Amino acid sequence: MKKSIITLISTVALCSVALFSFANEIATLRDNTSIETQKTPDKMPDVTNTDIKKSRAYPMQPPLIPHKVRNYQVDLKANTCMSCHSRKRTEESQAPMVSVTHYMDRDGNFLAEVSPRRYFCNQCHVPQLDAKPLVENTFVDMDTMMKEKQANQDENE
């Protein structure tokens, strides 16, 4: 009986230490703000608004949006993006036309209007923020990988 009580007390003590450590980790994720305190959120970073095309990191990456899209209406009634990027409007707007693939159905047939499956632009295309990355990024784009591979092959020949 005495041995069981000591084991129970030891288990409770270990669980308390583990729980306390876990609580400290949560507090760290909240910038050391206690769980009872509601922290004032940081200011949202500004959207990059240069209208300069960004390079793509890989061949099939959807193009990034180089301007603000806040308050753009994209719903069943209207698509503000198409007021500049549709086939009919690009000459006037000088904006790049959406890809021809957006005018194809899933069977590869061409359509007169944008395909419903490509209608909601923000499903694939996103604006960029003027912000510092939250975590380290070690991503290497395809062109750099191919150049490194070619350089290694040339070195070994």
Side-chain angles (χ1 to χ4, degrees), residues 6-153:
I6 292 174
T7 304
L8 179 65
I9 291 172
S10 299
T11 304
V12 169
L14 283 172
C15 288
S16 298
V17 169
L19 187 62
F20 181 74
S21 298
F22 183 69
N24 282 341
E25 274 185 43
I26 291 173
T28 302
L29 292 174
R30 295 171 43 90
D31 292 333
N32 294 322
T33 305
S34 70
I35 198 76
E36 300 83 22
T37 305
Q38 182 67 37
K39 182 182 172 196
T40 304
D42 295 332
K43 179 185 176 282
M44 292 197 50
D46 294 326
V47 172
T48 304
N49 194 28
T50 59
D51 279 340
I52 296 173
K53 288 183 185 177
K54 303 276 185 189
S55 64
R56 299 184 199 190
Y58 55 93
M60 299 303 286
Q61 177 189 351
L64 300 171
I65 301 171
H67 57 82
K68 293 179 180 178
V69 292
R70 182 173 276 258
N71 300 325
Y72 272 33
Q73 182 181 1
V74 180
D75 56 27
L76 293 176
K77 296 178 181 169
N79 181 333
T80 307
C81 301
M82 297 308 286
S83 64
C84 293
H85 295 278
S86 75
R87 260 192 295 225
K88 300 168 194 160
R89 302 295 310 268
T90 55
E91 185 176 345
E92 180 185 339
S93 68
Q94 294 296 303
M97 187 183 94
V98 296
S99 167
V100 293
T101 59
H102 290 58
Y103 290 91
M104 296 169 66
D105 65 13
R106 65 180 171 189
D107 297 323
N109 301 316
F110 283 97
L111 306 169
E113 296 295 327
V114 169
S115 171
R117 66 191 183 114
R118 300 290 184 102
Y119 183 80
F120 295 102
C121 308
N122 287 342
Q123 287 179 308
C124 300
H125 305 278
V126 293
Q128 293 297 290
L129 301 177
D130 186 22
K132 186 177 93 181
L134 297 175
V135 293
E136 180 186 358
N137 185 351
T138 58
F139 179 80
V140 178
D141 68 75
M142 180 66 81
D143 291 334
T144 304
M145 287 176 58
M146 296 304 288
K147 284 177 187 172
E148 288 175 0
K149 183 179 177 182
Q150 186 64 43
N152 287 339
Q153 285 177 347

